[in-house]
Amino acid sequence: MSFTAEEIEARGHPVWAEVDLDAIRHNVGALKMQLAGAEIMGVVKGYAYGHGNPQSALAMLEAGATRLGVARVAEGLHLREAGITVPIHVFTEPPAAAVRTMLEHSLTPTVYTQAFADALSRTATEMDRTVNVHLKLDTGMHRVGVPPDEVAGAVKSLLSAPALVVEGAWSHLAVADLPGHPFTRQQLDLFHKLTDQIEKAGAKLRYRHLANSAATMADPDTHFDVVRCGVACYGLWPSRDLLGTLDLKPALALRARVNMTKGVKAGEGLSYGLRYEVKKASRIVTITAGYADGYDRRLSGRADVMMNELRYRVSGTVCMDQFMVDVGQDEIEVGTVATLIGDEGSDRVSAEELAAHIGTINYEVTTRIPSRVPRVFLNERAGG
Ligand SMILES: Cc1ncc(COP(=O)(O)O)c(C=O)c1O
């Protein structure tokens, strides 16, 4: 749900995510400068990695992305219902029951099984139309895709279905986040071989695509006709190895209000499990965000939050809706805004930092911010 800062105030939302659409535009622009003509597909699955749609998708398009990528038909529908008309690629095959919906909304299917190709062909014929499909090749990640030795048969079958047009072929890199890893070269070589084979079989591939953000930033040989960029569009780093290699601006901040402050005596424990012991009489503030807001329970005792431009450590267990911070003798008022992710002054709590505390990646940190946390979009363009 999207709200203005005033609405957040009026509805008493104690926690919200600010998403700076100018940062997204800036990042797409920075990625675009890496390219010698390839198009950018903005990857906006997972509610734009938690940043929110359709606003994030629109910002990417405003900055020069020409197509969008989602994981599910429902995500594509959401964008179509918002009036977005560019090609929207669905990365996995949906159940046969969703094929008609997919075609009615002109979502671009990824194909890798005969059963789905048959369902598409049948439905498109019934609807008296053709459909552009992108064939997914398994070049080594073994998630979804046609295995290399089945590509010839798959192309033959697709070419024999008059309602299907093989417009593209693509694959996905398993270790692009580790620049220079030999497996990427191996996948690239196999991708060249398989796409050549597809063309020799008679399909004219207008779009070949392989690169994610990491490969877009690190390896121009992977760019082909389209690059599929997600994480970098949001100003998040694809990996530690790529930190600082492009001018990226993080787009998301997660902020919450202080709900209560109190004095607690030395020797008392805080929160579930009493795992934090107050060493000397202190002010304890309670902040209204918890693991139901995507603020992981494993951040207990580990993460820093910022208030009044100072860092404080989360003290004790993160609860479902709240957590506590021992602020020593500092004066923090009820209503103060705490920054859980984002900038305050010249400091920043990054999604990367939180990810490191809980043994995951920045992608997961932002993507898991649920819908109960309203998004406030900054720098939204009129009509966008
Ligand atoms: C098929 C596919 N392409 C591209 C991407 C974008 O990857 P990244 O966010 O690393 O740019 C993803 C995301 O996981 C994906 O699943």
Side-chain angles (χ1 to χ4, degrees), residues 17-181:
E18 288 167 12
V19 178
D20 183 353
L21 299 173
D22 263 354
I24 293 180
R25 292 182 195 107
H26 166 90
N27 298 327
V28 171
L31 287 161
K32 210 172 163 199
M33 295 212 316
Q34 304 293 298
L35 304 173
E39 290 184 34
I40 298 185
M41 180 191 301
V43 177
V44 293
K45 61 194 176 128
Y47 198 43
Y49 295 32
H51 292 64
N53 274 330
Q55 291 84 350
S56 300
L58 287 166
M60 290 184 194
L61 296 174
E62 285 156 4
T66 49
R67 46 191 66 233
L68 298 167
V70 296
R72 311 266 162 87
V73 170
E75 292 179 318
L77 288 189
H78 179 220
L79 300 173
R80 285 282 183 255
E81 281 157 8
I84 292 177
T85 56
V86 300
I88 300 175
H89 296 249
V90 181
F91 291 155
T92 45
E93 295 180 345
V99 167
R100 184 168 286 273
T101 312
M102 201 174 191
L103 298 189
E104 279 168 357
H105 292 84
S106 299
L107 303 177
T108 305
T110 296
V111 177
Y112 43 85
T113 68
Q114 187 62 49
F116 182 61
D118 289 344
L120 262 183
S121 169
R122 212 170 30 246
T123 310
T125 307
E126 278 164 21
M127 292 168 76
D128 196 20
R129 49 168 291 187
T130 60
V131 53
N132 292 333
V133 302
H134 286 227
L135 187 63
K136 172 78 198 288
L137 309 169
D138 182 1
T139 55
M141 181 155 159
H142 306 313
R143 187 164 63 176
V144 291
V146 181
D149 55 356
E150 293 175 23
V151 167
V155 175
K156 197 165 164 221
S157 157
L158 290 176
L159 290 175
S160 70
L164 304 185
V165 179
V166 187
E167 181 193 49
W170 65 281
S171 192
H172 196 46
L173 296 169
V175 287
D177 53 317
L178 302 170
H181 195 295

Side-chain angles (χ1 to χ4, degrees), residues 236-311:
L236 301 170
W237 298 101
S239 68
R240 195 183 292 267
D241 287 4
L242 288 161
L243 265 177
T245 56
L246 197 66
D247 175 26
L248 296 180
K249 290 190 164 70
L252 181 139
L254 183 65
R255 307 201 200 268
R257 290 215 187 259
V258 170
N259 186 256
M260 184 180 181
T261 80
K262 70 199 86 66
V264 175
K265 291 193 302 241
E268 296 286 313
L270 299 186
S271 196
Y272 289 120
L274 304 174
R275 287 193 188 91
Y276 179 88
E277 189 191 321
V278 177
K279 293 286 185 302
K280 49 182 186 180
S282 289
R283 301 298 300 166
I284 304 297
V285 308
T286 303
I287 296 172
T288 34
Y291 59 80
D293 302 299
Y295 199 65
D296 196 287
R297 192 168 177 276
R298 289 166 295 175
L299 295 170
S300 306
R302 293 189 174 143
D304 286 345
V305 298
M306 279 192 283
M307 286 177 281
N308 300 331
E309 301 190 10
L310 292 176
R311 276 184 181 249

